C-alpha cells in the first residue's frame, strides 16, 4: 500500500503555488505543499485494529506550560494537491516521537513524566473516543506543552467510510480536543495510515495536514517487548524520522527512556512532528526555487529527474538550513 500520493500539476501551477507559499510563510503560515514535490518516504506498515476499551487510573491535571499547536497549512490546499508526510528533512538531524491511540489514563501520564524529565518534545495523535473518556489526560498533555494531533474518533479505516462518516470522525474529535485542551489540532494521522480523496477533502475544510511515519516498531504486536521495540527504533532511526509508538501499551512507554538515551547517543535531537513537517515543506519549496532559477538560467536542473528529485542527478542536494523556530512551535520541553 502506498501512503504517498502527490498529484501532478502543470509547471505553471507549481510556480504559482510556490510564490503563494512564500507569501504565506512570510505572514506566519505554513507554505503550501506544492505539487510536483519529490516523493515522500517509503510506505509504512498500516496500524492494526485496537481494542475499544481501556481501563486504568484517572490522571491529575498538571498545568505548567503551554505551546501552540502545529501551524495549519495555508489556504489554497485542496484535495487535489494534498500530501502525506512521513518524515522531515535529514539535515535537521532531528527525530520526532509520536504516540497514537491515547489518551490512556495510566500510561499516558507516566509517559508525560518521562518526556518531561528528559526534556523531550513529542506529538500525541488522540482518538476522540478516548478524549471523551479521559479529557483530563488530554488536558494534561496540552498543559505540559506537547503537540496534539487528531487520530479520528473511532479509529475506523477512512477508505471504508462515506464522506459524511469521515467528516463526523474528524469534526467530533476536533471539538472534543478543543473542549479538553483549548486547541484545534492542525495535524491529522489517519488510522492505519490509510487515506483517500474523501479524507483529504474533509481535512482541507479545517485545514489539516496528514502526518504518517517512517519508523514503525509495531509495538502493538503480541510478543513485542520493550527491548524489541527499542532495538527496532534504534536500528531504523534516520535523520528526519517520524517514529510511531502507542501510549496505550505498557511495554511501549517503558521502552521510551532507553529509546531517548539511544537516539541521543547517536547524535539525534528531538522535535515535534509538526516541526519536521514544516521544515520539509519549506525545504521542498527552497529546492524548487533553486531548480527553477537554474532552469531560467538555461542550466540543467529545471525539472525533476528520473530519480524524482530536482537538479543534476549526479550532484548532491544543496543543504539549506532553516531555523526550526520558524514554525512557531516551541521545539523542546525545557529540561527540569
Ligand atoms: Ni492508531
Amino acid at each position: 500500500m502506498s501512503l504517498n500520493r502527490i498529484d501532478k500539476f502543470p509547471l505553471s501551477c507549481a510556480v504559482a503555488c510556490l510564490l503563494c507559499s512564500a507569501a504565506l510563510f512570510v505572514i506566519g503560515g505554513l507554505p503550501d505543499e506544492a505539487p510536483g514535490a519529490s516523493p515522500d518516504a517509503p510506505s509504512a506498515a498500516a496500524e492494526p485494529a485496537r481494542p475499544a476499551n481501556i481501563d486504568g487510573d484517572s490522571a491529575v491535571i498538571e498545568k505548567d506550560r503551554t505551546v501552540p499547536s502545529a501551524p495549519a497549512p495555508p489556504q489554497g490546499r485542496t484535495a487535489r494537491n494534498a500530501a502525506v508526510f512521513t518524515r522531515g528533512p535529514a539535515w535537521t538531524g532531528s527525530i520526532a516521537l509520536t504516540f497514537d491511540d491515547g489518551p490512556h489514563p495510566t500510561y499516558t501520564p507516566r509517559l508525560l513524566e518521562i518526556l518531561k524529565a528528559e526534556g523531550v518534545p513529542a506529538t500525541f495523535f488522540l482518538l476522540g473516543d478516548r478524549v471523551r473518556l479521559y479529557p483530563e489526560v488530554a488536558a494534561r498533555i496540552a498543559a505540559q506543552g506537547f503537540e496534539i494531533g487528531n487520530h479520528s474518533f473511532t479509529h475506523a479505516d477512512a477508505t471504508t467510510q462515506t464522506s459524511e462518516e469521515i467528516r463526523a470522525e474528524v469534526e467530533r474529535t476536533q471539538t472534543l480536543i478543543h473542549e479538553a485542551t483549548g486547541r484545534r489540532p492542525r495535524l491529522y494521522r489517519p488510522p492505519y495510515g490509510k487515506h483517500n480523496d474523501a479524507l483529504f477533502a474533509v481535512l482541507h475544510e479545517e485545514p489539516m495536514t496528514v502526518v504518517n511515519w517512517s519508523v514503525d516498531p509495531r509495538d502493538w504486536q503480541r510478543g513485542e517487548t520493550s527491548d524489541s521495540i527499542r532495538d527496532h527504533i534504534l536500528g531504523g532511526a534516520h535523520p528526519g524520522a517520524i517514529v510511531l509508538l502507542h501510549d496505550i501499551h505498557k511495554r511501549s512507554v517503558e521502552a521510551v527512556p532507553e529509546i531517548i538515551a539511544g537516539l541521543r547517543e547517536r547524535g539525534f535531537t528531538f522535535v515535534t512532528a509538526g516541526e519536521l513537517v514544516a521544515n520539509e515543506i519549506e525545504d521542498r519549496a527552497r529546492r524548487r526555487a533553486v531548480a527553477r532559477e537554474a532552469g531560467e538560467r538555461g542550466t540543467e536542473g529545471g525539472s525533476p529527474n528520473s530519480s524524482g528529485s530536482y537538479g543534476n542527478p549526479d550532484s548532491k542536494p544543496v543543504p539549506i538550513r532553516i531555523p526550526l523556530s520558524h514554525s512557531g512551535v516551541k521545539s523542546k520541553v525545557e529540561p527540569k
Side-chain angles (χ1 to χ4, degrees), residues 236-247:
H238 60 86
I242 297 177
V243 177
L244 171 64
L245 284 163
H246 297 86
D247 53 325

Side-chain angles (χ1 to χ4, degrees), residues 3 28 50 57 82 89 108 121 133 155 159 186 196 201 240 247 263 281 283 305 313 324 328 334:
L3 294 173
R50 300 239 154 21
D57 307 328
T108 303
L133 290 171
H155 208 275
T159 63
R186 297 303 189 186
N196 57 13
D247 53 325
L263 292 174
I281 290 172
D283 209 33
N305 59 38
L324 287 172
E334 295 300 328

Side-chain angles (χ1 to χ4, degrees), residues 44 86 213-217 232-234 236-238 241-245:
T86 59
W213 57 87
S214 62
V215 177
D216 177 9
H232 184 109
I233 291 174
L234 297 184
H238 60 86
I242 297 177
V243 177
L244 171 64
L245 284 163

Side-chain angles (χ1 to χ4, degrees), residues 66-110:
T66 58
V67 296
S69 57
Q75 298 299 317
R77 176 181 290 278
T78 68
R80 181 166 169 72
N81 68 359
V84 177
F85 292 89
T86 59
R87 63 174 70 193
W91 57 256
T92 63
S94 300
I95 280 185
L97 299 181
T98 66
F99 297 91
D100 288 13
D101 295 5
H104 184 279
T106 303
Y107 302 141
T108 303
R110 191 177 301 171

Side-chain angles (χ1 to χ4, degrees), residues 114 225-231 233 245 249-261:
I114 294 169
T225 65
S226 292
D227 286 352
S228 67
I229 293 166
R230 174 203 62 204
D231 292 346
I233 291 174
L245 284 163
H249 301 301
K250 184 181 179 186
R251 56 181 175 269
S252 303
V253 173
E254 289 181 341
V256 169
E258 291 191 13
I259 290 170
I260 292 171

Side-chain angles (χ1 to χ4, degrees), residues 186-304:
R186 297 303 189 186
L187 303 181
Y188 191 81
R189 175 166 286 165
Y192 316 104
K194 296 176 77 172
H195 48 79
N196 57 13
D197 281 351
L199 175 63
F200 283 128
V202 170
L203 297 180
H204 170 60
E205 296 169 8
E206 277 289 333
M208 302 177 81
T209 299
V210 173
V211 181
N212 277 335
W213 57 87
S214 62
V215 177
D216 177 9
R218 301 177 77 82
D219 60 333
W220 47 269
Q221 274 188 157
R222 191 179 298 274
E224 293 295 334
T225 65
S226 292
D227 286 352
S228 67
I229 293 166
R230 174 203 62 204
D231 292 346
H232 184 109
I233 291 174
L234 297 184
H238 60 86
I242 297 177
V243 177
L244 171 64
L245 284 163
H246 297 86
D247 53 325
I248 58 171
H249 301 301
K250 184 181 179 186
R251 56 181 175 269
S252 303
V253 173
E254 289 181 341
V256 169
E258 291 191 13
I259 290 170
I260 292 171
L263 292 174
R264 280 182 166 153
E265 241 173 56
R266 289 160 173 74
F268 292 109
T269 56
F270 296 94
V271 295
T272 62
E275 281 194 75
L276 280 184
V277 169
N279 278 280
E280 177 68 16
I281 290 172
E282 185 165 348
D283 209 33
R284 292 180 187 184
R286 295 285 188 98
R287 288 201 301 270
R288 285 192 297 274
V290 169
R292 188 185 60 205
E293 287 172 11
E296 287 172 353
R297 289 198 306 269
T299 58
E300 58 191 356
S303 61

